[in-house]
Amino acid sequence: MNTQDAATSMADRTAEGAPAGGSAHAWRLPGPALAALYLAFCGTAPALALATLGDSAPLAGWEKVAGALGLVALAAMTVQLVTSGRFDTVSGRLGIDRIMAFHKLIAWWILIALLAHPLLYVLPTWLADPALGRERLVAYLTAPHYRSGVVALAALALLVVGGALRERLPWRYETWRGSHLVLALVAVGGGLHHAITAGRFSVAGPVNLFWWAVALGAIAVVAVLYGWRWAKLHRHPWRLASVTRRADRMWELDIQPGPGNPPWTYRAGQFVWMTEGARRFPLLDHPFSIADSPLRPGLSLLVKEAGDFTSRVGALAPGTPIGIDGPYGVFMLDAHPCDAVVLIAGGAGIGPIMGLLRDLAARRDPRPIRVAYAAGRPENFACLDEIRAAASVLDLEIVLVSEAGGAGWGGHIGRLDRERLEELLRGLDPQRTVAFMCGPGPMVTGVSDTLLDIGMPMRNVVYERFDYGSGAASRQDRRHALVIAAVGAGLVALAGLFALVA
Ligand SMILES: Cc1cc2nc3c(=O)[nH]c(=O)nc-3n(C[C@H](O)[C@H](O)[C@H](O)COP(=O)(O)OP(=O)(O)OC[C@H]3O[C@@H](n4cnc5c(N)ncnc54)[C@H](O)[C@@H]3O)c2cc1C
């Protein structure tokens, strides 16, 4: 695309099209409200159990803790079904990174609590008579009466350990994802069955009714995730209008709504889950950021070849039916009032950054805009003509950094280090500037921490990663992990409170 075409492309986005943005989803709960609801939900079974304590035999202190941990952790395990990033009410304000961090960290808490659950029941016996304690534990693990609980615990252990080791497993992502779903259903189904049929506080009365209601809720969640969404992907397919090569192994897909599709809005920077052709099933979809302005009808995605699905997109024929589920995500500038905007992209992270830049250009935003774009090699840079052309309508400065040089490369060679970032922020007030960043995990971690060192407040550094895998945590990640640990401590407090009061 030459500079003239690029300028036209930016201008096209000012044509009449979709409404001026705004997610269709109104019910997005803020973090503190979600934490309070979460603790209230996880504390419901112990609270109901307190009401029925008089009907059962008195319990030793450790047995009370064991029972309470079982009740709290089982409720927390069922909530994991809705912290997968697909429910906008749950993840709408937090964003996919934070909700996935919560999902992964709390999973360890649940596993430890449920492993402790049978052990604490036998602890008093074990302390008095180790041989008898061992015998009781073996009986718990082998008696048919407790089998669903043992199966649930085994599935949970595989689920959590398999999630942590995902990148090292020799499986396709889809295989891992399918196994994750099956194990989750076994863990939740087995856990609920165990509570309803063998739970010390749950076999009858209000706690029993609570678990039945939770079971119905879990069935409804799975029906929405894999039934209703599947039907939606098939009833309202979008159409691939064109595929254009934008860089080495990077493609731009122009996707338009099919005839009769219901009205659809999004905000610049959000992402969708996408499937194509006959594969339009929720378990096979992939997340991609919208590289477009909502002022243009339809949407475009910038897709970098990374594996089996993305390697096929360049060969998709125009007219292919596309499944779109979304929009999701909080990578949205309008939620961060500021005087200046810094956009930072690394590799495939250019997708949402182009979405924000195209939207700023389409709206002729008067604020100073700085763009830093880093990639491995000059041929990896996408949409450079269009980015440069945006300077004709924006107060724009661009810093390009390639790890390797090449013929005709006029940008910097190296990485986005402190020197480059200071150059980017020159003349801007870090307190009144907001930075939006998307790129590979290590780059996001390093750049985010450097921006804080330079003086930007944490709330003004916003980022999204393209993978949920492990990797070095940024200072902001560690802050979020502390909040999650506080929620975990809240769960422990619920169990402790039950043991004290019971
Ligand atoms: C919020 C978000 C936005 C994204 N936006 C873009 C974008 O605009 N452009 C772009 O090129 N890439 C984007 N990605 C990454 C993109 O989703 C993956 O590269 C793609 O799914 C890889 O699929 P594959 O089958 O080709 O490769 P695989 O070899 O199957 O996967 C490569 C890696 O991609 C991740 N991945 C694969 N499938 C999924 C899935 N269904 N859900 C979540 N992660 C998956 C896993 O970490 C996996 O290890 C985004 C990811 C996220 C989480």
Side-chain angles (χ1 to χ4, degrees), residues 95-396:
I96 187 98
D97 282 15
R98 277 201 255 174
I99 203 73
M100 290 314 294
F102 177 85
H103 185 81
K104 289 196 312 188
L105 285 177
I106 284 291
W108 284 105
W109 188 96
I110 296 168
L111 178 61
I112 292 166
L114 289 179
L115 284 173
H117 170 67
L119 293 177
L120 292 180
Y121 266 125
V122 300
L123 187 66
T125 318
W126 198 307
L127 291 176
D129 180 346
L132 194 59
R134 244 190 330 269
E135 214 174 284
R136 257 189 88 191
L137 183 63
V138 171
Y140 273 145
L141 297 179
T142 54
H145 186 55
Y146 296 115
R147 188 152 301 149
S148 55
V150 175
V151 169
L153 193 51
L156 178 69
L158 287 175
L159 197 63
V160 178
V161 175
L165 298 179
R166 178 182 69 74
E167 284 168 9
R168 284 185 235 161
L169 294 175
W171 295 356
R172 288 179 56 204
Y173 188 86
E174 282 81 359
T175 311
W176 172 82
R177 201 170 163 195
S179 71
H180 200 70
L181 173 67
V182 171
L183 287 170
L185 294 180
V186 172
V188 171
L192 287 169
H193 181 269
H194 170 72
I196 286 168
T197 58
R200 184 130 337 164
F201 308 103
S202 308
V203 282
V207 191
N208 186 273
L209 287 178
F210 173 73
W211 292 128
W212 275 109
V214 171
L216 288 178
I219 291 168
V221 164
V222 175
V224 167
L225 280 178
Y226 297 100
W228 181 76
R229 277 174 208 267
W230 171 80
K232 211 172 82 168
L233 294 178
H234 280 264
R235 272 215 324 272
H236 303 298
W238 293 53
R239 297 274 157 206
L240 184 63
S242 65
V243 181
T244 312
R245 186 179 180 278
R246 290 287 182 227
D248 179 37
R249 295 180 296 120
M250 185 177 280
W251 306 90
E252 180 153 17
L253 277 57
D254 180 7
I255 301 169
Q256 295 298 323
N261 277 17
W264 193 85
T265 63
Y266 69 95
R267 295 199 198 160
Q270 288 194 286
F271 71 94
V272 292
W273 292 82
M274 185 267 229
T275 45
E276 54 84 17
R279 296 168 43 110
R280 299 200 311 280
F281 183 70
L283 204 56
L284 300 176
D285 57 9
H286 293 259
F288 295 105
S289 303
I290 305 171
D292 216 337
S293 162
L295 292 180
R296 195 185 76 99
L299 55 91
S300 80
L301 308 176
L302 275 168
V303 178
K304 174 85 182 170
E305 293 181 20
D308 52 345
F309 179 77
T310 45
S311 298
R312 286 201 312 269
V313 299
L316 288 178
T320 302
I322 302 287
I324 293 289
D325 177 25
Y328 294 97
V330 290
F331 200 68
M332 303 177 303
L333 257 176
D334 50 9
H336 297 267
C338 59
D339 293 345
V341 178
V342 171
L343 303 176
I344 302 173
I350 190 65
I353 295 301
M354 278 310 288
L356 295 175
L357 184 66
R358 283 169 167 169
D359 194 50
L360 289 165
R363 295 174 197 280
R364 306 288 193 262
D365 195 289
R367 292 173 292 185
I369 315 289
R370 306 279 186 268
V371 172
Y373 185 6
R377 323 178 61 80
E379 59 270 29
N380 296 144
F381 285 84
C383 307
L384 277 190
D385 286 343
E386 192 180 345
I387 294 171
R388 290 186 182 114
S392 62
V393 292
L394 294 172
D395 171 1
L396 181 66

Side-chain angles (χ1 to χ4, degrees), residues 450-471:
T450 310
L451 288 174
L452 300 187
D453 291 341
I454 292 175
M456 289 194 70
M458 201 177 266
R459 66 175 182 284
N460 288 9
V461 178
V462 184
Y463 53 77
E464 194 165 76
R465 291 192 173 93
F466 277 177
D467 65 77
Y468 320 128
S470 49

